[in-house]
Amino acid sequence: MRHLAALTIAFGLCACSQPPSQSVAKADREAEKTIVEPRPVRVGHDGPDLDACAAYGEVRGLNPDGDNFLAVRNAPSPKAAEIDRINEGTGVAICDEADGWLGIVYEDAESAPDCGTGSPVAKEQDYDGPCKSGWVSKTYIELLAG
């Protein structure tokens, strides 16, 4: 009889607790639900006498055996929404920086050839020019000028 009572208690305890793998999976799902607010790329940090974006670089160091693209996000966070993908060698104007992320402006097939980042702007402002903009990991941008 004692064995039956012990088994009943053991089965009851097992039914009430979650295995660690289920707890981890639930935590991962909760983390995925974290909303990262979009953050526009800002230009004009250096004042009205200097270019809207202070530097220029290229996408470098992507893993050729991996996806071979750099995700462009709508905020400086790996949890932010991916808004575009750019390839190795893509030139970018470096306009903003936050926590290991760079706010960039870049041309695509539909953009005008001049993104307007090489001219001064009257005051610091969100980029609203003819080209695309977003945030990329600083790790994959090689500084060429600025």
Side-chain angles (χ1 to χ4, degrees):
M1 191 69 140
R2 286 184 191 164
H3 292 107
L4 183 59
L7 285 174
T8 303
I9 291 170
F11 283 126
L13 289 175
C14 288
C16 293
S17 65
Q18 290 182 328
S21 61
Q22 286 181 352
S23 298
V24 170
K26 182 178 179 183
D28 288 344
R29 284 192 305 275
E30 291 300 318
E32 287 174 6
K33 292 179 186 176
T34 303
I35 297 173
V36 177
E37 292 294 322
R39 178 174 164 184
V41 173
R42 306 273 296 166
V43 297
H45 293 286
D46 295 327
D49 297 326
L50 298 174
D51 292 347
C53 296
Y56 184 82
E58 283 186 359
V59 176
R60 293 280 182 236
L62 299 178
N63 180 355
D65 297 325
D67 294 331
N68 210 24
F69 67 83
L70 179 59
V72 180
R73 301 191 177 276
N74 70 355
S77 168
K79 294 181 181 180
E82 183 180 303
I83 56 173
D84 201 3
R85 294 175 173 183
I86 54 179
N87 299 315
E88 183 92 15
T90 300
V92 299
I94 303 167
C95 308
D96 207 346
E97 188 170 0
D99 302 322
W101 291 80
L102 297 175
I104 62 166
V105 171
Y106 58 100
E107 296 177 26
D108 70 351
E110 299 171 13
S111 298
D114 179 11
C115 294
T117 58
S119 300
V121 292
K123 62 180 179 168
E124 189 175 323
Q125 60 194 21
D126 294 349
Y127 178 74
D128 67 350
C131 296
K132 291 187 170 188
S133 64
W135 294 88
V136 296
S137 172
K138 185 177 187 174
T139 304
Y140 299 101
I141 301 296
E142 180 181 331
L143 182 65
L144 299 178

